[in-house]
Amino acid sequence: MSKEYKSGTFCIDINCPKHKVLEGLDGNAYIEKKQEHCKECYAWQFINWAKDNKFRIVHTWPQVSNKQLAAMIKGIDPVRVEDLTEEEIMCL
């Protein structure tokens, strides 16, 4: 099940004290203000790095093992790679 991202989700989850300035902003206004206001935040830097390098952030499912998730990310049937480690699966 996919959950749509809402502006400030991460900031709210970690109770970031800098987020108050951004509350009430949406869309481009939120992003523009955040680019300047949060440029020193390591979490924001990581999100931008991931986006710039075309990485996706995935949320694991508790009922799915890391090995199964690695296989699904790579588009492989988990049964076919049950003897491999997660690292080996991601290298395929």
Side-chain angles (χ1 to χ4, degrees):
M1 179 167 154
S2 178
K3 188 166 101 175
E4 187 175 330
Y5 175 78
K6 291 187 180 149
S7 297
T9 299
F10 179 77
C11 301
I12 292 166
D13 288 346
I14 65 164
N15 295 317
C16 176
K18 296 181 101 180
H19 185 70
K20 291 275 185 219
V21 174
L22 303 170
E23 286 180 5
L25 298 176
D26 285 321
N28 288 340
Y30 175 83
I31 296 298
E32 288 171 12
K33 181 75 174 181
K34 187 156 185 74
Q35 291 285 16
E36 182 60 32
H37 187 68
C38 299
K39 65 183 173 188
E40 301 298 322
C41 172
Y42 289 128
W44 182 243
Q45 289 173 17
F46 172 73
I47 289 170
N48 284 317
W49 177 86
K51 181 183 71 162
D52 293 345
N53 288 283
K54 302 200 180 353
F55 280 88
R56 292 181 301 155
I57 299 172
V58 296
H59 179 76
T60 60
W61 298 322
Q63 67 272 23
V64 176
S65 73
N66 289 345
K67 187 185 265 190
Q68 287 177 300
L69 181 62
M72 290 177 0
I73 288 171
K74 296 300 280 188
I76 302 168
D77 180 5
V79 175
R80 295 185 69 207
V81 291
E82 64 187 4
D83 295 334
L84 302 177
T85 67
E86 291 116 29
E87 292 82 15
E88 291 170 332
I89 294 169
M90 293 306 292
C91 289
L92 293 176

